[in-house]
Amino acid sequence: MISPSNDYKKCINCGVCESVCKNDAIYFENNNEGFLYAKIDSKKCIGCLQCQKNCIANIELEYNLIESMRGYAGKYMVKEERIKSTSGGFCDALSKYVIKNNGCVFGVAYSEDFKLTEYICVNNFKDLSKIRGVKYCQSTNPNIALLEKKLNETNLVLIIGLPCVITALSNAFSRKYNNLLLVALVCHGPTSTKVHNKFLSKYNENFNCIQLRKKYGGKDYFYLANDNRVIDKRLWENTSYFEAFNILNNEACYSCKYKLSSIKADILVGDYWGLEDDKEFFSEDGNNAIIFMNDRIKEDELFSNLPNFEYKKKTINDIVSRNKSIICKGEKSPYYDNFIKYIDTCANLDNTIKKTIPFKIRIKKNIKIIIMKFLPIKVITFVRQRRK
């Protein structure tokens, strides 16, 4: 036995196996792509099989009754608040409610040196900025012991994470907690920390702010700064990080079973692409949320506690048609093999992408980027919706 999951490639790095092991026999190791996988130390393992019994990859998930779910479009009504986040600012609004009511929020933040992403616990408004915005590389796993401690001593605990991790956590706790709120983020699969650090390696200046999708005029920009001094700012889709994110994902993502029909989350949140046909509700910056709720969440009670957050009921079919990642697992990129071949030999990620993607394809993409700079946001969101 080398892995708690029957197939180590299905490991999602949730940390549940480590939390149930009584002999500290579980450790995590990066593979050659830069993803963390759980492994078993055979010298410490006593063969109790608790790690395998509790591994979510080995558990057959019950199907959700999609018909009983409710779907919404949502957005912060105050633009200044909305553009600080993605997905209409829903998670930010919900986090503020939890903290205001003496609760705490577990979300993903960058480490102090920005070399990795990790779960942190936030219980004040100031630190909310750390977990705001997208992080597209795999994070370290959440501290389950700390989560249970907070659940036993705190009024309300909100956990925000990828559907696979949220589903694993829902199955991990020693008992059911009424003060636990699980929010999953619509996901196409994270890339690795190797990609993240390879991209940042080209910057020789010190920086203290990274935003992968900072809103400017309704468009997503990569933004790197040191205090208020901008080091780099460009369309997110014009970065090698964006390209690598769409080429390299965790192996488990290609057989993902943590979609709408089976995830165990109270709420599922994502980007509502192509909402421009709803002229009354569409936000001019294109930052709108998809929100799914299970039958445990009371709609009126939830939204009444989120001041300045507007919502509108939508059909399940309409929502799914706008963001296919809700129901579809990712497919391995045709450039995957080339990317793996060059990522360790090239000086930085820009050079890796140049060698990975054929010249003609890159030229076409560069032309598209130039056009995107001048297109209105309504046209861009329409294109994104068709692409999804």
Side-chain angles (χ1 to χ4, degrees):
M1 246 187 350
I2 61 170
S3 172
S5 56
N6 292 329
D7 179 356
Y8 83 94
K9 291 182 178 180
K10 293 184 179 180
C11 175
I12 59 169
N13 186 40
C14 63
V16 172
C17 55
E18 183 183 34
S19 73
V20 299
C21 181
K22 304 301 181 184
N23 219 42
D24 295 326
I26 305 296
Y27 66 100
F28 292 85
E29 189 172 88
N30 288 100
N31 68 356
N32 66 321
E33 296 174 356
F35 292 104
L36 283 166
Y37 286 93
K39 289 192 173 184
I40 298 173
D41 186 338
S42 58
K43 294 180 180 179
K44 294 182 178 180
C45 179
I46 58 174
C48 68
L49 301 181
Q50 285 302 306
C51 59
Q52 289 200 335
K53 291 176 182 177
N54 287 276
C55 176
I56 199 68
N58 300 333
I59 297 172
E60 187 173 343
L61 301 177
E62 294 181 5
Y63 283 101
N64 299 321
L65 291 174
I66 296 179
E67 296 79 10
S68 68
M69 293 183 173
R70 292 148 295 152
Y72 308 87
K75 65 180 180 181
Y76 246 141
M77 295 173 66
V78 182
K79 181 179 178 181
E80 290 72 21
E81 294 294 322
R82 186 171 62 243
I83 62 175
K84 292 177 182 178
S85 307
T86 52
S87 300
F90 175 79
C91 288
D92 195 54
L94 185 58
S95 297
K96 287 177 179 176
Y97 164 73
V98 170
I99 291 174
K100 183 179 179 181
N101 287 273
N102 301 315
C104 64
V105 183
F106 284 81
V108 174
Y110 288 113
S111 59
E112 289 188 9
D113 59 6
F114 294 98
K115 290 185 177 180
L116 55 83
T117 54
E118 57 191 1
Y119 272 89
I120 64 170
C121 178
V122 173
N123 58 11
N124 61 77
F125 294 122
K126 180 181 178 181
D127 287 341
L128 265 183
S129 61
K130 295 179 180 179
I131 61 173
R132 190 181 288 136
V134 296
K135 284 90 178 173
Y136 283 143
C137 63
Q138 184 191 45
S139 70
T140 58
N141 51 62
N143 186 328
I144 295 176
L146 177 61
L147 278 168
E148 286 217 81
K149 181 176 182 293
K150 292 296 183 182
L151 283 165
N152 287 316
E153 65 184 24
T154 307
N155 181 40
L156 184 61
V157 176
L158 168 62
I159 308 174
I160 304 169
L162 300 184
C164 53
V165 175
I166 293 298
T167 300
L169 291 176
S170 73
N171 193 60
F173 298 119
S174 57
R175 64 180 178 86
K176 298 296 181 183
Y177 291 93
N178 292 326
N179 60 332
L180 172 63
L181 188 58
L182 296 170
V183 174
L185 306 172
V186 174
C187 171
H188 112 312
T191 193
S192 71
T193 51
K194 178 183 282 190
V195 164
H196 174 78
N197 289 311
K198 197 82 172 180
F199 175 75
L200 293 178
S201 67
K202 69 177 181 178
Y203 298 103
N204 297 318
E205 301 178 66
N206 292 327
F207 54 85
N208 56 18
C209 178
I210 301 174
Q211 290 180 263
L212 299 185
R213 286 173 52 195
K214 185 178 177 67
K215 291 290 183 182
Y216 285 100
K219 300 174 185 178
D220 294 329
Y221 278 77
F222 167 72
Y223 177 85
L224 187 75
N226 190 11
D227 294 330
N228 293 322
R229 186 175 62 83
V230 178
I231 296 171
D232 195 1
K233 174 189 166 186
R234 67 181 76 182
L235 282 170
W236 162 235
E237 294 191 25
N238 193 29
T239 66
S240 56
Y241 202 146
F242 170 83
E243 298 290 357
F245 171 60
N246 286 288
I247 293 173
L248 180 64
N249 301 124
N250 192 3
E251 191 68 34
C253 300
Y254 305 124
S255 58
C256 179
K257 62 181 181 179
Y258 313 99
K259 295 299 180 179
L260 184 63
S261 61
S262 56
I263 61 168
K264 306 306 172 189
D266 297 306
I267 302 172
L268 176 68
V269 183
D271 292 319
Y272 209 136
W273 302 123
L275 193 60
E276 70 281 345
D277 54 5
D278 189 338
K279 295 180 181 179
E280 293 182 2
F281 195 82
F282 178 77
S283 64
E284 62 183 13
D285 48 57
N287 192 2
N288 307 281
I290 284 170
I291 305 167
F292 278 105
M293 295 182 194
N294 66 18
D295 53 13
R296 189 172 86 92
I297 304 299
K298 296 178 181 178
E299 166 195 328
D300 294 338
E301 184 179 335
L302 174 69
F303 286 122
S304 65
N305 286 305
L306 305 182
N308 297 319
F309 192 87
E310 184 180 16
Y311 70 99
K312 183 176 183 179
K313 199 157 192 176
K314 291 286 184 177
T315 66
I316 302 295
N317 287 338
D318 182 74
I319 293 175
V320 169
S321 71
R322 312 297 179 129
N323 193 328
K324 295 297 177 63
S325 291
I326 296 171
I327 59 171
C328 298
K329 59 179 177 287
E331 296 182 0
K332 188 167 284 190
S333 167
Y335 304 125
Y336 169 84
D337 289 335
N338 270 353
F339 186 82
I340 296 302
K341 177 181 177 181
Y342 293 119
I343 188 170
D344 286 325
T345 58
C346 290
N348 55 55
L349 197 61
D350 291 358
N351 292 340
T352 305
I353 292 299
K354 286 178 182 177
K355 286 199 171 187
T356 298
I357 301 177
F359 177 74
K360 289 184 179 180
I361 301 297
R362 285 189 283 113
I363 289 297
K364 288 181 180 179
K365 289 188 175 183
N366 287 339
I367 292 173
K368 186 190 79 170
I369 293 300
I370 293 171
I371 294 172
M372 281 182 64
K373 287 183 178 181
F374 301 99
L375 285 178
I377 185 60
K378 290 186 178 182
V379 177
I380 293 175
T381 51
F382 174 75
V383 172
R384 282 174 174 164
Q385 183 241 328
R386 293 293 297 272
R387 186 181 65 203
K388 296 288 181 183

